[in-house]
Amino acid sequence: MRSGILAIVLLIAAVVAYLSVFIVNPTQQALVLQFGKIVEQPKKDPGLYFKIPFVQNVVYFDKRILNLNMPPLEPITSDKKRLIVDAFARYQISNPVLFYQRVQNIQTANRRLSTFLQSSLRSEVGRTSFVALVRDDRTGVMENIRRDIDANAEQLGIEVIDVKIRRADLPDANSQAIYARMQTERQQEATEIRAQGEEAARRIRSRADRDATVLVAEARRDSEIMRGTGDAERNRIFAEAFGADPEFFAFYRSMQAYEAGLRSGDTSLVLSPDSSFFRFFKDPSGILPAPGTDGNGSQGVSDRNPSLAAQ
């Protein structure tokens, strides 16, 4: 009987001891409640803690960074374009006491934060153009949304760490129209650039043709000047040679004429033997006989006796 009572006492003591302690993990933070009222400071450090059994109870909250996913929205940008925006947020419970007093659990907190995120996203996208959201200032838009949500979430004991936009696309019908317009704009731009290139090419080609014509004309002018100068110099030299020795000059020119005119070939010349062309063949001095003589200085029969010639 005594041993049975002792066993019961030991069992009760074990139960009381078990209910008097609680453990906080590194990923948790805890609140000690007494009849629903917070009686101690939050337990944020991991370890073993004590409480009054049957009177106090412990509520645990996650200390890690939590994700908030929301369904895609269709806000309208400042330039009246409807977009499909898929975004999410990451947050952390920074004040467990305020979190418990305002929302008490994660599910309620997610619903409240989702409302904040949708409202802030619609408002910020409505102030932003399509190009800024998609390309130019996407980071700035996300930071503005984060600050707006964080200001509201602070009242719930929550700190918003980050807000990200996974994608921001046009609806399919609008996308096709936008792509067609972008393609048309690119084609117009390409046509304009090609026309400018053709104009520049014609301008360069015209300038090159003009420069070539000027260069050829100047070259011809210089060549004619040089040819004229050469001809004048040649004539001067010939004139000096003729003045120095006219007989030799006449002989030299005749030799050149014989060389050019009597070379072998198909050309035939019909000339009188008395032609001046052959004067150096008859007399090395090149002196032609006087008209009416036989080449030796004597007169012919007709000249000496005209009457006999008439007979």
Side-chain angles (χ1 to χ4, degrees):
M1 184 68 179
R2 186 177 298 175
S3 60
I5 296 174
L6 181 60
I8 294 173
V9 172
L10 291 177
L11 179 60
I12 295 174
V15 172
V16 171
Y18 175 77
L19 296 177
S20 298
V21 298
F22 63 94
I23 299 174
V24 178
N25 295 326
T27 61
Q28 294 176 328
Q29 48 190 341
L31 290 177
V32 179
L33 306 179
Q34 183 173 331
F35 303 112
K37 182 179 179 181
I38 301 173
V39 295
E40 295 183 13
Q41 292 295 325
K43 310 298 183 183
K44 295 185 177 182
D45 297 328
L48 181 66
Y49 296 92
F50 296 93
K51 64 182 180 64
I52 301 174
F54 305 108
V55 177
Q56 296 179 345
N57 64 305
V58 180
V59 178
Y60 295 94
F61 299 110
D62 205 324
K63 194 167 61 174
R64 296 170 295 182
I65 295 177
L66 305 175
N67 291 329
L68 172 64
N69 294 309
M70 54 173 292
L73 298 178
E74 291 192 13
I76 299 176
T77 62
S78 61
D79 47 359
K80 307 305 180 183
K81 289 184 174 58
R82 184 178 297 276
L83 298 178
I84 299 177
V85 179
D86 185 7
F88 70 95
R90 293 185 297 175
Y91 68 94
Q92 188 176 29
I93 301 174
S94 59
N95 190 338
V97 175
L98 190 59
F99 181 85
Y100 177 77
Q101 292 174 346
R102 297 296 172 86
V103 294
Q104 294 188 350
N105 55 63
I106 299 295
Q107 291 75 17
T108 305
N110 286 342
R111 289 195 297 268
R112 297 285 297 275
L113 287 177
S114 180
T115 302
F116 295 156
L117 179 57
Q118 293 182 21
S119 175
S120 179
L121 194 147
R122 290 183 184 276
S123 176
E124 185 64 26
V125 171
R127 295 192 295 266
T128 307
S129 65
F130 171 72
V131 176
L133 178 62
V134 174
R135 184 189 63 187
D136 294 343
D137 194 25
R138 189 163 182 166
T139 302
V141 171
M142 292 188 295
E143 179 60 22
N144 292 338
I145 296 174
R146 188 202 67 78
R147 286 198 299 263
D148 188 32
I149 299 175
D150 188 58
N152 294 323
E154 186 178 1
Q155 302 174 6
L156 306 179
I158 295 173
E159 178 185 2
V160 178
I161 305 299
D162 195 9
V163 174
K164 292 294 184 183
I165 297 177
R166 289 193 184 97
R167 68 185 185 97
D169 299 329
L170 292 168
D172 293 339
N174 294 353
S175 297
Q176 297 301 325
I178 292 295
Y179 294 153
R181 187 180 67 184
M182 292 173 62
Q183 184 178 8
T184 302
E185 291 176 353
R186 297 293 84 77
Q187 290 177 351
Q188 292 177 352
E189 185 177 356
T191 302
E192 182 178 357
I193 294 175
R194 191 177 295 111
Q196 293 176 355
E198 290 293 337
E199 180 182 1
R202 287 195 297 268
R203 189 184 303 112
I204 295 173
R205 194 177 297 113
S206 175
R207 188 183 301 111
D209 293 341
R210 182 194 63 189
D211 295 342
T213 302
V214 172
L215 289 175
V216 171
E218 292 178 350
R220 288 178 178 175
R221 179 198 63 192
D222 295 341
S223 65
E224 293 296 333
I225 293 174
M226 295 176 65
R227 187 178 292 110
T229 303
D231 290 343
E233 183 65 17
R234 184 192 61 180
N235 294 334
R236 186 186 64 79
I237 295 173
F238 282 165
E240 291 180 356
F242 180 78
D245 193 346
E247 295 179 357
F248 176 77
F249 184 77
F251 174 77
Y252 175 71
R253 295 299 298 271
S254 297
M255 292 300 103
Q256 289 181 332
Y258 294 157
E259 180 181 6
L262 300 179
R263 65 179 56 179
S264 60
D266 298 333
T267 303
S268 299
L269 296 177
V270 180
L271 299 173
S272 172
D274 297 334
S275 174
S276 61
F277 185 72
F278 298 108
R279 58 184 179 178
F280 284 99
F281 283 87
K282 294 183 177 181
D283 189 350
S285 63
I287 300 175
L288 294 175
T293 62
D294 56 1
N296 295 322
S298 59
Q299 294 180 348
V301 176
S302 60
D303 293 335
R304 293 194 302 269
N305 195 346
S307 60
L308 292 177
Q311 294 178 355

